[in-house]
Amino acid sequence: MAYRGTAYHGFQIQNNANTIQAVVQQCVGKVLNEPVTIHGCSRTDAGVHANQYCFSVQTNSKIPNIGFIRGVNGELPKDISILSCEDVDPDFHARFSCASKEYLYLIHNSECKNPFTTDLAYHYRRKFRTELVMEAAQHFVGTHDFRTFCTNCAENANTVRTIHSFTVEKDGNTVKMLVKGNGFLYNMVRIMVGTLLDINEGKIPLEQLDAIIASGNRLLAGKTAMPHGLYLNRVFYGGEES
């Protein structure tokens, strides 16, 4: 599915908060005519969007895939859409079967705000030095302990992740940061983006970035970038890697 996360407090069900999981689960159950639990591929934060989000659900219903798509889309609000549906093995799990994920961070880089992207891209007024930021982003590529870029990580948590690629492109007023990895910690992408923006502004020297990554100290990294610029862009399963 794809969704615009503006009106939701993230994916995961919460008490007294509107979430993607709660809304989708209710609509899926109504179409399948049975109570269900949907399992998501990621716990996106409040205000974060998804271009491609995978969830899995077990059902006794014999509804065809196209019937599921049309039926659930007919129940969902306008800011959530089922894109595709397929049958999988019973042991498939949207989160634990996922091989890698790709996130997009979108920036509107202009003195003037864009009223059409108010909650869909981060408005950033300062001059954007694309080559510098791209060079800095390459320091994240590879296998590292990313504890520095995690909010409230438990001391005994495994914080080692592998970043496969990190690209930065600027086209007119639009900056796209695209990062792909085998997994991400809580707020990891947003903190990496915030750190790159601090490097862009000269607040963090590029030559200190490797030491900051190795430090494990969240206080040395940059700010946590705003959630509304972040999209879960693609998820990969099995041999899918492009």
Side-chain angles (χ1 to χ4, degrees), residues 1-2 8 18 22 28 34 44 57 60 62 66 96 101 103 127 141 144 163 179 182 188 193 202 211 229 238:
M1 64 179 168
Y8 302 92
N18 191 31
V28 169
E34 61 180 326
T44 55
V57 60
N60 295 315
K62 302 300 182 183
I66 188 64
F96 300 120
K101 301 173 186 175
Y103 281 90
K127 180 181 179 181
V141 176
H144 307 282
I163 298 300
V179 54
N182 68 348
M188 178 174 160
V193 170

Side-chain angles (χ1 to χ4, degrees), residues 89-138:
D89 293 333
D91 60 351
F92 177 88
H93 190 287
R95 179 183 175 190
F96 300 120
S97 300
C98 184
S100 58
K101 301 173 186 175
E102 181 182 76
Y103 281 90
L104 166 69
Y105 197 88
L106 201 57
I107 296 173
H108 176 63
N109 183 217
S110 171
E111 176 62 34
C112 303
K113 62 184 179 181
N114 182 348
F116 301 105
T117 63
T118 301
D119 58 351
L120 298 174
Y122 173 49
H123 181 206
Y124 186 71
R125 293 183 176 87
R126 295 172 178 82
K127 180 181 179 181
F128 191 82
R129 296 183 285 174
T130 308
E131 291 186 5
L132 172 65
V133 177
M134 181 62 179
E135 180 183 355
Q138 302 321 296

Side-chain angles (χ1 to χ4, degrees), residues 147 153-159:
R147 182 173 294 274
C153 275
E155 288 189 15
N156 60 348
N158 177 13
T159 50

